[in-house]
Amino acid sequence: DTAVSQTPKYLVTQMGNDKSIKCEQNLGHDTMYWYKQDSKKFLKIMFSYNNKELIINETVPNRFSPKSPDKAHLNLHINSLELGDSAVYFCASSQVQRSYNEQFFGPGTRLTVL
Amino acid sequence: GESVGLHLPTLSVQEGDNSIINCAYSNSASDYFIWYKQESGKGPQFIIDIRSNMDKRQGQRVTVLLNKTVKHLSLQIAATQPGDSAVYFCAEGVQGAQKLVFGQGTRLTINP
């Protein structure tokens, strides 16, 4: 049983299109995250939601809009895709009410913008 | 800005040897550190963590050392195996905070 799942695993699309990536966690965690990993493997946080409330927004263009319908889901919608959006996007979750924040990651979605 | 580790080095070791992966962190307030392993095509996986009130923590074949004086963290892998090939990330955080800051990673390759 996958703890943190993402769909799709691969996404290839044209510049200017709008696309969504979905994430679900079955760990009962209260906090979910989106990270972007570039071609040099640098992993940078984009957003964090705690109990459906946006907590962290790390200077991400407003073409990126996260949506959390419930605390088990955090979807990422991207408008007007650009070449520079090509990357691997990871969803993660954690239980922040515990003192220390061990995050569990999904398998990633490789986005390629042509 | 914040940074944890400044490079993406590659470490190449012989199978059976010990591996040591290093990480520098910059936030003196960080009190929690994690090592993650990322295999090709997969998401990062938790390996081991350490809190700032400790200098050393051991797991199965792995040991993490923390030197707060010089803000340095290391991961030691004993008897390295082919399955250890991956990119290893250190991450730092503060108790009760939601944000982890990740280093750029070290690629570990195993020579047969």
Side-chain angles (χ1 to χ4, degrees):
Chain A
D1 291 335
T2 305
V4 182
S5 59
Q6 297 177 226
T7 55
K9 185 156 178 69
Y10 300 97
L11 186 52
V12 181
T13 188
Q14 298 287 332
M15 232 175 14
N17 284 350
D18 303 338
K19 290 293 178 186
S20 292
I21 307 171
K22 294 185 176 182
C23 178
E24 176 180 2
Q25 55 95 3
N26 63 5
L27 296 166
H29 287 165
D30 61 1
T31 304
M32 296 184 72
Y33 310 80
W34 277 108
Y35 285 85
K36 180 180 181 180
Q37 187 172 51
D38 62 22
S39 59
K40 296 181 181 178
K41 296 293 188 182
F42 188 65
L43 196 61
K44 183 163 171 54
I45 190 167
M46 300 172 68
F47 299 104
S48 166
Y49 268 73
N50 177 267
N51 285 319
K52 302 194 296 173
E53 180 183 350
L54 179 65
I55 302 298
I56 296 173
N57 182 340
E58 287 284 312
T59 320
V60 178
N62 55 17
R63 296 183 296 105
F64 290 78
S65 52
K67 285 186 171 53
S68 182
D70 55 62
K71 72 175 190 177
H73 295 84
L74 181 62
N75 303 324
L76 184 64
H77 188 77
I78 315 170
N79 290 327
S80 303
L81 279 155
E82 299 178 358
L83 294 176
D85 297 332
S86 295
V88 181
Y89 291 83
F90 287 100
C91 178
S93 73
S94 69
Q95 185 62 22
V96 180
Q97 287 179 350
R98 294 185 197 143
S99 294
Y100 296 96
N101 184 10
E102 178 190 340
Q103 296 181 15
F104 294 79
F105 284 79
T109 296
R110 181 175 292 277
L111 172 64
T112 303
V113 182
L114 304 175
Chain B
E2 298 173 81
S3 67
V4 177
L6 300 177
H7 307 288
L8 180 57
T10 297
L11 177 65
S12 185
V13 300
Q14 292 295 123
E15 184 177 348
D17 286 353
N18 296 336
S19 303
I20 300 176
I21 300 170
N22 296 303
C23 176
Y25 66 94
S26 60
N27 186 358
S28 301
S30 293
D31 58 6
Y32 179 52
F33 305 87
I34 309 178
W35 280 99
Y36 281 89
K37 173 186 180 183
Q38 185 179 17
E39 296 176 273
S40 181
K42 296 183 180 180
Q45 288 183 293
F46 174 91
I47 303 173
I48 191 168
D49 60 2
I50 188 167
R51 301 177 188 180
S52 60
N53 60 354
M54 303 170 70
D55 298 322
K56 179 179 179 179
R57 190 163 187 222
Q58 289 184 286
Q60 188 177 9
R61 282 202 308 119
V62 295
T63 301
V64 57
L65 299 178
L66 175 62
N67 185 331
K68 295 181 288 294
T69 303
V70 295
K71 289 187 281 189
H72 183 267
L73 196 64
S74 69
L75 177 71
Q76 300 178 2
I77 305 174
T80 311
Q81 303 169 358
D84 295 328
S85 292
V87 176
Y88 290 81
F89 294 93
C90 64
E92 62 176 313
V94 177
Q95 180 181 355
Q98 296 192 2
K99 188 175 174 179
L100 286 178
V101 176
F102 282 78
Q104 199 167 4
T106 297
R107 184 180 301 279
L108 177 65
T109 60
I110 315 302
N111 300 319

